[in-house]
Structure formats: C-alpha cells, structure tokens
Amino acid sequence: MNNIYNFLRPAWQELIREGKENLVFIPFIMLLVSFPASLAINNLCLGFFILSVILYRKKLVWNWNFYLILPVLFFIWMCFSYFWSYEPENTIKALSKECTLLLIPLAFSFLPPFTRNQIHLIFKYYSYSMLIYAIYFLIRAFIRYFISHDSSVFFYHGPQNDIDTGLVPRLLNAIHVSVYMALAFFYFFIKDTKSIIEKIGLSVLFVFILLLSSKNIIVVFILLILLYLFYYSKIANRLRLRNLVILLLVLGVIFSFNKIKERFIIEFTSNTEKSLSHSVEINHKQGVNNISIYQAWKTDRFTHNDYFPGTAFRVYQIRIFNEMLHENPIFWKGFGLNASQNKIKEKEKEHHLYPGYGNYNFHNQYIQVFAELGIIGLLFLLIILISNVCKAFLAKDFLHIAFAVLMISLFLTESFLWRQRGVGFFIILFALFMHNKVKCFSFKRV
C-alpha cells in the first residue's frame, strides 16, 4: 500500500500542476483513457473535454493549421453524401458517430500546443491506464477459466456481441484493443531507462497483445519492434545479432500458443487453390469447407457449408466491391455514408453465402470509403494518412511512427473509422501529434 501511495501522490501532483498550465489537460487524458471503457463513459468524457474548451475559450487562442483542416473536409464530404445517398436515413444516423472528425479538430484549433512534458505525461498516464485494463481482463480470464475450464477465455473476443466468452468483449473488438495496447507498449519500450514496474508493464502488455490474437496487428507489432531494435535504438549496431536471436525465441513462444498458432494456420493453409478438403476439421466442425483466397475470388456460388477465414473473407469483400463498382455509378461519389450494407446483403444472396455474412461491412477502411464516399472520399483519407506518416518520420518520433503504421495496416482489415470508438481514437491522436511541433519521443537513427 505504501508503494502505491508513493506512486499515486506525485502522479496526482503532476496532474494538478500541468492542469493549471493547460486547462484542458486533465479532460483530454480522461478522454484518451476512456476508449476501452463503455461508450457511455467515452461519450461523457468527450462531452467533458468539449465543455472544458468552451468554458475556457477566452483563455485559449486560435491556433489552426493545415493538418486539422483535412479531417474537417473529410467530414463535410460525408455530410454532402446525404444528397446522393442510396440510404439517406442511414447516412444521417452515421454522421453522429463521425462528428468527432469535426469536433476534435475544432477543439484543438483553440488549444495552445501541449508542451513536451505534457505530451510525455499524457502518454504516461494513457499507457499505465491501458496496463490496468490489461490486468483487469487477464484477471477476469483466469476467474472464468477456473469456473468453465475453457481456454478460449484467454484469447480474442467472443463470437457474438451477446456472448462474452473471449479475452475481451466482442463490442470492444480484440483487434481494436490490440491497437490501444500496442501504443502503450511502445511508450514503455522506447524508454532508455525503465523501472521495475515499467519492465513488468512492458511484459504484461506484450503477452496481452499476443493473447488478443489479431494476426494483422501481431505481424505489424513485431515489425515495429524490429524497426526500432535494428535501426533506431542506441545499441542497435552492437546488438543486432543478439536481437535477432531474441526475436526468434519470442516468435517461438508466440507460436507455441495453440490458439494463436491455429489462427495463423487457418490463414496459411487455406489460402491456396487446393489447400483444404471437406474432411479437414481445422475449425472443429465436421463437414466445414474452408474457403481459400482463390475460391473467394473465383467461385460464383458458394454453399452453406463454406467457411471464410479472415483473409479469404476480406478477399471476397474486395471482389464484391469490384462487382459493385462495375454495376453502379459510384466511382466519384459512392453509395453515400453508411449506405452500402444493403448492397452487401444483395451480394450475399447472389453468391448464396451462409446467412449472416451479409451483415458484415467491408472490413477494409479504404474499400469502405471508396464504396460509400467515392474516389474523392478515398483521396481525403489517403491524404490524411500520408500526412500523418510523413510527419511522423520527419519528426523522428517513434511513438508517432508506431501510431501511423498501425493505423495504415489496421485499415487494411478493419473499417475502424466507421466505429465510434475507432474514429474517436484515431482523430484524437492524429490531432495531438499533428497539432504539436515539439519532438516528444524523438531519436537519432544509427
């Protein structure tokens, strides 16, 4: 208890001191750490942050920049899509989820840039908060395992929103939580000197990210670790061989987890033209046919016994988008924001998929934007992402680099910005990094 008190007391004093210098500092931290919590809490924190900006606007200054204009223009284009939307009611409903693309840049336009120390503190408390979330979900998993003796409670998320059997609830989405945790991991990882608590936190977050079993995020996560170890760490030149050995050992540990290994095996063994037969029981279901990438792209009619692994299903979605593009005049303007789902359901019936596949969106942010907002909307998104990654590398800010790379890769497999938590998380960190000119987590390449 004494150690906890010794940690919390200076932390509280730090928050109060920095809060006096920047009046929205504490509300901003509260908003940033609320994303793994319920939507009600996240909305409350968003309202508190916006209210703090409004109440103290006389003490704040207009501080607009080009980067903050980009998401606002993107949101305006979403609003315009109402006038040509195939589903105007759905478009209106979706705009309420996307409004942070307008609210957060406008709020930041009144904020003075955070100081170097304030940004360090923001990510410090964000990272410790993610660590607390991770510990909570791990404890929850252990309790559930002792009750049910089902090892699936340690991995991924449940199969349905109302069946909470995974490591995190499906409403949170294990892939999205992986991104939250990865950013916290890299805050601890790039510190030159680490306390015992930070080393323990680093280990817990590393294991937690692996248990979340998001194939895409695990691959990018490992690549980012390699990028830092081999090219940007202070001892990279002297320890590259040792780092390679450590990496191989880590990968061996990763794939020793049966659940994680199985998720990769399903992808790599099914993604060939003649990979799996009907007798293969990789999904533990008799008679299930695992669809390959080739089949997902070429097969005209499927059967209700066909199962799409993640990669194959996303290839199928690219295919049906290509079909929609040829069948509908959507190249320039798209179907309209949140107006493509009925078209996806029509394709489900046309290709005779098992009922339910049509309820999924494109699970690819680039295709989702192209389908609903046309090439103009896609260009807005690409300019935002390119600006983000360019500034990250020019600033040599590794935490910004990690965020930029994670977003680009995540958008390949998730319509992240079409989720309320997703768009909020992205635009808040985008605004934070792009609004500030200081190099807070800078390093020198060796």
Side-chain angles (χ1 to χ4, degrees), residues 245-306:
V245 173
I246 292 174
L247 173 67
L248 293 175
L249 291 174
V250 168
L251 291 176
V253 172
I254 293 172
F255 289 102
S256 67
F257 289 107
N258 288 333
K259 290 286 184 180
I260 300 172
K261 181 169 64 177
E262 181 180 295
R263 287 182 57 79
F264 278 92
I265 287 175
I266 290 174
E267 297 296 338
F268 287 109
T269 57
S270 65
N271 291 335
T272 59
E273 181 176 351
K274 299 178 180 178
S275 52
L276 291 177
S277 67
H278 287 267
S279 62
V280 175
E281 298 181 49
I282 194 78
N283 300 304
H284 309 296
K285 293 181 180 179
Q286 193 74 24
V288 171
N289 177 37
N290 293 270
I291 296 298
S292 68
I293 285 178
Y294 179 87
Q295 292 169 321
W297 187 257
K298 290 291 186 180
T299 303
D300 185 51
R301 285 179 64 84
F302 298 92
T303 72
H304 285 190
N305 289 330
D306 291 335

Side-chain angles (χ1 to χ4, degrees), residues 111-130:
L111 300 180
F114 289 113
T115 65
R116 180 191 298 268
N117 185 58
Q118 286 172 341
I119 296 181
H120 270 278
L121 290 178
I122 286 170
F123 282 103
K124 173 184 175 180
Y125 292 116
Y126 168 81
S127 300
Y128 275 106
S129 298
M130 294 306 110

Side-chain angles (χ1 to χ4, degrees), residues 312-439:
F313 186 56
R314 285 168 174 83
V315 168
Y316 163 79
Q317 290 172 311
I318 295 173
R319 168 199 172 174
I320 63 172
F321 164 71
N322 185 56
E323 294 174 359
M324 292 176 189
L325 197 59
H326 286 85
E327 296 167 1
N328 303 274
I330 59 171
F331 180 81
W332 292 106
K333 299 184 295 185
F335 290 115
L337 180 65
N338 200 31
S340 64
Q341 201 61 49
N342 283 335
K343 294 294 183 180
I344 296 175
K345 291 179 180 178
E346 289 175 9
K347 288 295 179 181
E348 172 197 89
K349 295 177 181 177
E350 177 184 335
H351 295 297
H352 202 240
L353 268 68
Y354 186 83
Y357 276 117
N359 294 327
Y360 293 101
N361 62 25
F362 283 108
H363 275 68
N364 181 308
Q365 191 64 66
Y366 307 105
I367 292 176
Q368 193 83 42
V369 170
F370 199 163
E372 298 185 359
L373 300 174
I375 191 66
I376 297 175
L378 180 61
L379 287 175
F380 275 125
L381 177 63
L382 292 178
I383 292 170
I384 290 170
L385 294 178
I386 291 170
S387 301
N388 191 32
V389 73
C390 286
K391 185 170 183 182
F393 278 98
L394 288 174
K396 298 181 180 179
D397 183 338
F398 195 81
L399 204 60
H400 191 179
I401 290 172
F403 168 69
V405 173
L406 283 167
M407 289 298 103
I408 289 172
S409 61
L410 178 65
F411 288 0
L412 290 170
T413 60
E414 294 292 315
S415 297
F416 191 63
L417 300 183
W418 265 226
R419 292 282 297 270
Q420 186 172 332
R421 286 190 182 91
V423 67
F425 181 80
F426 173 80
I427 192 58
I428 285 167
L429 286 174
F430 176 84
L432 176 63
F433 283 122
M434 304 301 273
H435 184 58
N436 290 279
K437 299 178 181 180
V438 295
K439 300 178 181 179

Side-chain angles (χ1 to χ4, degrees), residues 223-253:
L223 289 176
L224 283 169
I225 292 175
L226 285 175
L227 177 66
Y228 185 78
L229 287 178
F230 291 164
Y231 293 99
Y232 295 113
S233 65
K234 291 183 177 179
I235 56 175
N237 284 326
R238 291 187 288 110
L239 297 180
R240 281 179 183 170
L241 179 60
R242 193 193 76 171
N243 291 340
L244 181 60
V245 173
I246 292 174
L247 173 67
L248 293 175
L249 291 174
V250 168
L251 291 176
V253 172

Side-chain angles (χ1 to χ4, degrees), residues 22 58 74 146 205 358:
N22 192 324
K58 294 181 180 179
F74 190 33
F146 288 130
L205 288 171

Side-chain angles (χ1 to χ4, degrees), residues 9 31 44 66 76 103 132 151 207 342 346 384 387 391 421:
R9 183 179 179 183
L31 175 58
L44 187 64
F66 167 75
I76 291 173
L103 294 177
I132 292 171
S151 61
V207 171
N342 283 335
E346 289 175 9
I384 290 170
S387 301
K391 185 170 183 182
R421 286 190 182 91

